[in-house]
Amino acid sequence: MYGGQPQTIKVVLLGEGRVGKTSLAQRYVRSSFNEGQAATVQAAFFTKAVRVQGQEIEVALWDTAGQEKFHSLGPIYYRDAHAALLVFDITDTDSFKRVKRWVDELHAMAGERCQLVIAANKQDLQHRSVSEEEAQEFAASQGAAYFQTSAKTGLGLEELFTALLSSVLDSL
Ligand code: GDP
Ligand code: MG
């Protein structure tokens, strides 16, 4: 590259409604958290410029517009995604049970090289209902990287994105 546009890395957010996808995007991109995060009603798109492995990168984070209810985000959402960040809520067993459906949808819709990262979100809450062991084991069985996160405190997010972006860069 001769000092042109920075490389854009497309990351799509996946997971059930209310698990914290929009909140994680806001926390990562804007360092903010909104307790009463409104349900996303429009397709949202966040970008952030970062430096990884000495390279300028633009992260394009694609957020859903509430279509996750129907488990079908459409081909444009997945097109050319470098990575998927699949989120579940550790206080919501159903959101964990449905992770497999999102993995299946990802495999059906995204290219083979799309990397998968699973985020066990809302780690700041005490009433956990999904065990850490079970979640980690599942992620490993899917060949996915696994991180514990909190959009509220910011826990795990820098580590998650650093690992995700490095891994995508290595694969290019
Ligand atoms: P989305 O539907 O997956 O985009 O979820 P939202 O980002 O809209 O979050 C749903 C609700 O969970 C909102 O009330 C958020 O404030 C809350 N929330 C999201 N992430 C966290 C977190 O890490 N910890 C806590 N305590 N609440 C969170
Ligand atoms: Mg949302």
Side-chain angles (χ1 to χ4, degrees):
M1 232 200 289
Y2 296 96
Q5 294 292 312
Q7 171 98 44
T8 297
I9 292 183
K10 175 175 174 179
V11 181
V12 292
L13 285 159
L14 301 178
E16 296 299 299
R18 308 302 288 166
V19 296
K21 299 180 297 299
T22 302
S23 299
L24 285 169
Q26 302 262 18
R27 163 62 70 192
Y28 179 61
V29 172
R30 306 202 181 117
S31 303
S32 68
F33 178 75
N34 180 356
E35 203 63 69
Q37 180 64 50
T40 317
V41 288
Q42 289 177 338
F45 188 77
F46 299 84
T47 61
K48 179 171 167 129
V50 289
R51 214 176 161 76
V52 186
Q53 298 178 353
Q55 225 179 301
E56 291 294 340
I57 300 292
E58 183 178 73
V59 184
L61 249 184
W62 290 51
D63 192 11
T64 69
Q67 327 90 309
E68 64 265 42
K69 281 199 283 289
F70 311 111
H71 260 273
S72 179
L73 298 173
I76 291 165
Y77 193 76
Y78 289 97
R79 185 175 300 151
D80 299 327
H82 294 94
L85 175 52
L86 204 179
V87 185
F88 72 93
D89 171 352
I90 60 161
T91 69
D92 175 359
T93 316
D94 282 345
S95 77
F96 177 66
K97 285 190 186 140
R98 298 211 178 107
V99 165
K100 181 65 170 82
R101 282 178 65 183
W102 286 108
V103 175
D104 292 343
E105 181 171 316
L106 180 72
H107 288 155
M109 301 293 284
E112 260 177 28
R113 304 191 67 175
C114 183
Q115 303 197 15
L116 176 60
V117 176
I118 294 177
N121 193 38
K122 307 201 186 180
Q123 295 284 337
D124 59 285
L125 297 177
Q126 302 306 311
H127 46 286
R128 162 188 282 276
S129 58
V130 179
S131 90
E132 179 56 23
E133 231 179 357
E134 185 184 10
Q136 246 178 38
E137 211 166 89
F138 176 79
S141 77
Q142 302 301 308
Y146 176 80
F147 289 87
Q148 297 184 320
T149 61
S150 165
K152 187 167 183 173
T153 66
L155 174 90
L157 266 185
E158 280 303 324
E159 294 89 332
L160 185 158
F161 274 97
T162 300
L164 181 155
L165 297 174
S166 298
S167 163
V168 168
L169 284 181
D170 288 345
S171 75
L172 292 177

